[in-house]
Amino acid sequence: LTNDITAARTAAISYAAQNKVCNTGPVVDANTSNASNGDVVVGYLANPSNPASLLDSSQLTNANAVRVKVRKNDTQNGKVAMFFGRALGLNSVATESQATAALLNNLQGFKTPTDGTTLGILPFALDKTTWDALKAGTGTDTWRWDAAAKKVISGSDGIKEVNLFPQGTGSPGNRGTVDIGGSNNSTSDIARQIVYGINAADIAALGKPLILTGGTMTLNGDTGISAGVKDELASIIGQTRIIPIFQSVSGNGNNAQYTICEWVGVRILDVKLTGSMSSKKLTVQPANVVTKGGVPATSGTKTTYVYSPVWIVR
């Protein structure tokens, strides 16, 4: 996070200078030592929604919050000049103001966002062994996301890739498609979820929240990834989605039961669901995903590359 923290300090200084106080852009100290009483303090808020939650400036590896303070005193930016106060002999006064912004960076699951938007969850699961190996550097590197052109192009970007399909799941007749909806989830339902995400009706039909209660949850399996959704998958190439990670699976086909233990963010890079089994692929790479509706985890790592939007917490 070193580069991100440096960028946060630079952004705080820049934005403070653009918001004039008494017709002057205030100077904010970068506080590179991250002293707890500094102008820009980076740290960790265990519960950003709790106004009493303390900003721990010693936990930079888990940093999820930034507090910015603007001061006007004798040594920094000058005191605020008084007008009516002069009649009482008060020519100027020292003052300061601060705000803290934060995000959630560890979620145990998701609920329907209050604004009615959908959840960008792809109904395809990946086994934990493969995911952990990918994070450790195992995988191909033949695609990259061109942020300027906003498209996927061939070439290395230093971020490894994995094929979501076909992955041997240990469950005969099932290749990792999971039901996030009713038990009779159809190809058309999966196609809709691929493009538009998981909606409130899907979660209601599932009959339970998408939350890793006690660290895990189970999802039923669907047989394979139908070629009938290849066009929908192709339409989201370059976009990011959340996928579930499973630690174990039991049962066959539609009776498969996946034990989900983590949620991760990925970007869709390449899709081919026709031809021989060996040539089929749904290639993804780790990517940051920002989502509404996240439920914070109280312990343990439940998400990787998945974050809530940033908001002013106090």
Side-chain angles (χ1 to χ4, degrees), residues 117-263:
T117 55
T118 58
L119 296 167
I121 299 175
L122 205 61
F124 306 139
L126 180 66
D127 66 282
K128 182 171 174 57
T129 299
T130 300
W131 174 254
D132 288 344
L134 179 68
K135 290 195 298 181
T138 299
T140 58
D141 186 11
T142 56
W143 298 99
R144 66 185 181 90
W145 170 247
D146 187 326
K150 296 188 180 302
K151 65 179 182 179
V152 174
I153 60 177
S154 61
S156 171
D157 59 2
I159 305 174
K160 296 296 185 179
E161 304 144 4
V162 68
N163 186 6
L164 271 181
F165 178 86
Q167 282 286 339
T169 65
S171 175
N174 191 286
R175 306 300 300 189
T177 310
V178 291
D179 284 332
I180 305 179
S183 58
N184 59 347
N185 224 25
S186 65
T187 297
S188 62
D189 289 322
I190 294 174
R192 170 183 52 79
Q193 292 174 348
I194 289 170
V195 179
Y196 301 108
I198 306 298
N199 60 31
D202 292 325
I203 296 179
L206 182 64
K208 58 185 176 182
L210 282 172
I211 296 176
L212 305 180
T213 305
T216 62
M217 73 170 295
T218 58
L219 289 175
N220 288 341
D222 260 346
T223 50
I225 300 179
S226 170
V229 299
K230 62 182 177 61
D231 291 338
E232 286 77 14
L233 285 169
S235 75
I236 64 168
I237 287 177
Q239 297 182 25
T240 57
R241 291 293 190 273
I242 300 165
I243 63 170
I245 301 296
F246 68 91
Q247 65 183 29
S248 62
V249 60
S250 61
N252 302 332
N254 289 334
N255 294 318
Q257 290 280 310
Y258 287 84
T259 300
I260 308 302
C261 61
E262 190 176 351
W263 306 96

Side-chain angles (χ1 to χ4, degrees), residues 16-312:
Q18 294 176 54
N19 288 270
K20 294 183 178 181
V21 180
C22 300
N23 297 317
T24 303
V27 174
V28 171
D29 181 71
N31 187 31
T32 54
S33 65
N34 210 43
S36 59
N37 62 344
D39 289 356
V40 183
V41 181
V42 179
Y44 173 73
L45 280 175
N47 183 0
S49 298
N50 179 4
S53 182
L54 297 177
L55 179 63
D56 186 348
S57 59
S58 67
Q59 290 202 50
L60 294 186
T61 55
N62 296 321
N64 68 338
V66 181
R67 188 188 72 212
V68 181
K69 181 180 293 186
V70 175
R71 314 171 198 255
K72 283 186 72 65
N73 52 39
D74 284 330
T75 60
Q76 191 170 337
N77 298 309
K79 289 183 177 180
V80 176
M82 304 297 284
F83 183 76
F84 294 109
R86 293 176 183 175
L88 302 175
L90 188 62
N91 294 324
S92 61
V93 64
T95 186
E96 64 182 40
S97 185
Q98 68 181 33
T100 302
L103 55 77
L104 298 173
N105 55 0
N106 190 17
L107 308 173
Q108 62 175 318
F110 311 92
K111 58 184 179 181
T112 305
T114 56
D115 63 1
T117 55
T118 58
L119 296 167
I121 299 175
L122 205 61
F124 306 139
L126 180 66
D127 66 282
K128 182 171 174 57
T129 299
T130 300
W131 174 254
D132 288 344
L134 179 68
K135 290 195 298 181
T138 299
T140 58
D141 186 11
T142 56
W143 298 99
R144 66 185 181 90
W145 170 247
D146 187 326
K150 296 188 180 302
K151 65 179 182 179
V152 174
I153 60 177
S154 61
S156 171
D157 59 2
I159 305 174
K160 296 296 185 179
E161 304 144 4
V162 68
N163 186 6
L164 271 181
F165 178 86
Q167 282 286 339
T169 65
S171 175
N174 191 286
R175 306 300 300 189
T177 310
V178 291
D179 284 332
I180 305 179
S183 58
N184 59 347
N185 224 25
S186 65
T187 297
S188 62
D189 289 322
I190 294 174
R192 170 183 52 79
Q193 292 174 348
I194 289 170
V195 179
Y196 301 108
I198 306 298
N199 60 31
D202 292 325
I203 296 179
L206 182 64
K208 58 185 176 182
L210 282 172
I211 296 176
L212 305 180
T213 305
T216 62
M217 73 170 295
T218 58
L219 289 175
N220 288 341
D222 260 346
T223 50
I225 300 179
S226 170
V229 299
K230 62 182 177 61
D231 291 338
E232 286 77 14
L233 285 169
S235 75
I236 64 168
I237 287 177
Q239 297 182 25
T240 57
R241 291 293 190 273
I242 300 165
I243 63 170
I245 301 296
F246 68 91
Q247 65 183 29
S248 62
V249 60
S250 61
N252 302 332
N254 289 334
N255 294 318
Q257 290 280 310
Y258 287 84
T259 300
I260 308 302
C261 61
E262 190 176 351
W263 306 96
V264 303
V266 298
R267 188 183 304 279
I268 315 303
L269 300 176
D270 189 30
V271 177
K272 184 178 184 296
L273 294 183
T274 56
S276 64
M277 181 67 72
S278 61
S279 67
K280 292 182 179 181
K281 53 191 174 184
L282 172 53
T283 308
V284 300
Q285 68 178 186
N288 292 333
V289 178
V290 177
T291 182
K292 297 178 181 179
V295 178
T298 55
S299 63
T301 300
K302 305 303 179 187
T303 49
T304 311
Y305 304 106
V306 183
Y307 307 93
S308 75
V310 176
W311 81 101
I312 298 294

